[in-house]
Amino acid sequence: MNMYDVIKRPLVTEKSTIEKDERNVIALEVDRNANKIEIKQAVEKLFKVEVDDVNTVNVAGKVKRVGKHIGKRSNWKKAYVTLKEGSNVDFFEV
């Protein structure tokens, strides 16, 4: 799997911002078939940081309705990546 296919997007929320500031943990949406080793390698190469730990969560898609039609959003995978001391990733660098 290509490292650009592993990481889909960063998750920038209030909770993930607090985690980043307090525990040096970043949250990412990743490919559903990616494992922890592939996620670690992709983050280290793309962001040029050292990764300490990777935790993953499979998130179930929600059931949504638009008018009388009912549908379901896709399932997706979230990764919490703990960076080593001194490593930092800033998604909104100027």
Side-chain angles (χ1 to χ4, degrees):
M1 184 178 293
N2 186 358
M3 69 177 171
Y4 294 105
D5 295 333
V6 172
I7 298 174
K8 293 187 175 183
R9 66 185 178 104
L11 297 174
V12 182
T13 62
E14 187 174 353
K15 179 180 177 179
S16 67
T17 305
I18 292 169
E19 288 290 315
K20 183 174 178 259
D21 292 340
E22 292 180 358
R23 296 185 20 212
N24 209 18
V25 174
I26 59 172
L28 304 166
E29 180 180 343
V30 296
D31 187 78
R32 288 182 59 204
N33 298 321
N35 60 32
K36 293 181 180 185
I37 297 168
E38 292 171 337
I39 295 168
K40 178 179 178 177
Q41 292 171 350
V43 169
E44 287 179 341
K45 287 183 183 177
L46 288 176
F47 299 117
K48 296 176 179 57
V49 294
E50 292 185 29
V51 174
D52 190 32
D53 190 27
V54 177
N55 296 318
T56 59
V57 178
N58 287 313
V59 181
K62 295 180 179 180
V63 174
K64 293 290 183 177
R65 73 180 265 182
V66 178
K68 65 179 182 176
H69 301 288
I70 297 176
K72 182 179 177 293
R73 290 187 178 169
S74 299
N75 299 335
W76 55 287
K77 185 181 266 191
K78 184 190 306 187
Y80 290 105
V81 180
T82 305
L83 304 176
K84 289 191 178 179
E85 290 294 324
S87 297
N88 188 18
V89 174
D90 191 9
F91 296 118
F92 299 109
E93 291 180 349
V94 178

